[in-house]
Amino acid sequence: MNLNRRHFSLALGALGALGVAPLARAQAYPQGPITLIVPFSAGSVVDQQARTIARVLASRLGQPIVIDNRVGVSGSLGAEVASRAAPDGYTLLIGTQGTQGTNSAIYKTIRYDPVKDFVAIHGLSGNASVLVVNPALKIQTVADLVAYGKANPGKLNFGSGGKGTSGHLCLELLQTRTGARFTHIPYKSSSTALVDLVAGNLDAMFDFVQTSGPQIRSGKLRPLAVTRTQRMPSLPEVPTMAEAGFPGIESQSWGGLFAPARTPQAIVQRLSDAVDETLKTPEVRGALESVESFTVDMPHAQFQAYVATEAAKWTTVLREAGVTPE
């Protein structure tokens, strides 16, 4: 009887150790360098913001954060690498609206599930777009543009930085919500499209406030509305899409921190708390505001729900628009 009790006690101890070990490791996290996969090229807007945030976050965590640029398939190559990493908190991803929300609806080659294969840790940064037209057009408002697009389907040309980019997504959202029809002209980059818009070779486009702002202020482009739910500080006179009479046509290009699925909850929470502190620092806020960006201050649970909603939203928009995976 005593022997059986001893075996029972040993068994309970073993089970307890199995449960305590992962928790202890999570509480001690991090104990070494962290690799942060940035799925875009060095020097890109995403990369620059990631490096600024990583520098401050590393000081909060007490360990270095090493940037690993993995470029390809609109960011999906880096996301795929991250999805296959060990779920221990030492390989993280800067995920975006594309890698976690729309690429799987655009490319047949995507080999990860943007929702099931990741845990969303915390939102990081966002960029709003502005709907701009060439001043030579007699279009003064969004209502004018929509009315023209209904009466003259396909006659006006909309540029974008390519299929699946934020400019393309905003255009499809505008068309599916209003019934207006335009011709999409995808470029290899939004900057090239913007040059053609200023030159009069395009009629309109949705472009980031960062790049269109100077052209708007110089009078080379006419702004109709911004796609954020509130006005942009640098363009206070430009209404939101809702203020222009078209609620529901909101979009922001966002980025956030992700980890592979099955990463321990204690590590996820540790990272979420550290990112929350990081985004509140003057260094990070100042760096984002200097390039017309803003913080996406969503902690773990809120950001996880937001990402799932975004993925469903844009998949539906692309399907309704007749965009098929390539």
Side-chain angles (χ1 to χ4, degrees):
M1 184 69 172
N2 289 337
L3 186 61
N4 288 339
R5 285 179 178 174
R6 182 170 178 271
H7 287 169
F8 183 65
S9 297
L10 288 172
L12 285 177
L15 288 172
L18 288 173
V20 170
L23 179 59
R25 285 196 298 270
Q27 289 175 337
Y29 171 87
Q31 295 182 318
I34 297 169
T35 296
L36 178 59
I37 294 178
V38 177
F40 300 97
S41 60
S44 64
V45 172
V46 175
D47 177 76
Q48 291 179 41
Q49 294 181 358
R51 290 176 186 271
T52 299
I53 292 170
R55 184 170 58 252
V56 180
L57 179 60
S59 68
R60 294 290 186 279
L61 295 173
Q63 292 291 345
I65 296 178
V66 180
I67 302 294
D68 182 5
N69 294 97
R70 298 291 187 103
V71 184
V73 198
S74 298
S76 294
L77 179 60
E80 181 182 336
V81 172
S83 72
R84 297 179 178 179
D88 55 11
Y90 289 96
T91 300
L92 305 175
L93 170 73
I94 296 292
T96 65
Q97 181 186 44
T99 64
Q100 313 305 123
T102 61
N103 285 0
S104 59
I106 295 173
Y107 301 104
K108 291 180 179 179
T109 56
I110 303 300
R111 293 179 291 187
Y112 65 90
D113 187 300
V115 175
K116 294 180 181 178
D117 290 343
F118 291 94
V119 55
I121 294 173
H122 202 292
L124 293 177
S125 61
N127 298 286
S129 293
V130 56
L131 174 55
V132 286
V133 298
N134 187 285
L137 295 178
K138 295 181 179 180
I139 292 171
Q140 302 290 330
T141 66
V142 180
D144 291 343
L145 181 70
V146 169
Y148 191 94
K150 286 181 176 180
N152 305 275
K155 189 171 182 179
L156 292 182
N157 293 327
F158 258 77
S160 81
K163 188 176 181 180
T165 61
S166 60
H168 176 215
L169 295 175
C170 288
L171 170 60
E172 298 297 358
L173 182 62
L174 176 66
Q175 293 188 126
T176 57
R177 294 292 191 272
T178 65
R181 289 294 176 262
F182 308 97
T183 297
H184 176 221
I185 309 294
Y187 285 69
K188 290 185 177 180
S189 70
S190 59
S191 59
T192 307
L194 188 63
V195 170
D196 265 5
L197 178 61
V198 172
N201 298 323
L202 287 173
D203 299 307
M205 70 181 290
F206 284 94
D207 187 49
F208 287 139
V209 172
Q210 292 98 315
T211 47
S212 282
Q215 307 296 340
I216 291 170
R217 286 185 279 272
S218 67
K220 294 179 181 179
L221 292 178
R222 178 182 298 134
L224 303 184
V226 294
T227 62
R228 200 180 176 194
T229 55
Q230 60 196 75
R231 296 194 181 198
M232 294 296 292
S234 61
L235 297 173
E237 73 286 357
V238 180
T240 66
M241 291 295 290
E243 290 173 333
F246 296 88
I249 306 179
E250 285 89 25
S251 173
Q252 63 180 21
S253 180
W254 51 264
L257 189 64
F258 293 80
R262 298 177 300 281
T263 297
Q265 180 61 30
I267 290 178
V268 171
Q269 194 59 53
R270 170 85 171 97
L271 286 166
S272 182
D273 292 343
V275 171
D276 190 64
E277 295 172 0
T278 296
L279 294 181
K280 290 179 169 61
T281 62
E283 179 179 353
V284 170
R285 284 193 177 275
L288 293 178
E289 290 172 1
S290 69
V291 292
E292 307 276 7
S293 297
F294 47 87
T295 59
V296 177
D297 199 3
M298 296 184 190
H300 164 54
Q302 183 183 358
F303 189 50
Q304 183 93 356
Y306 176 74
V307 170
T309 299
E310 280 281 282
K313 168 186 173 179
W314 290 114
T315 298
T316 300
V317 168
L318 290 170
R319 185 173 62 248
E320 290 177 350
V323 177
T324 56
E326 296 180 352

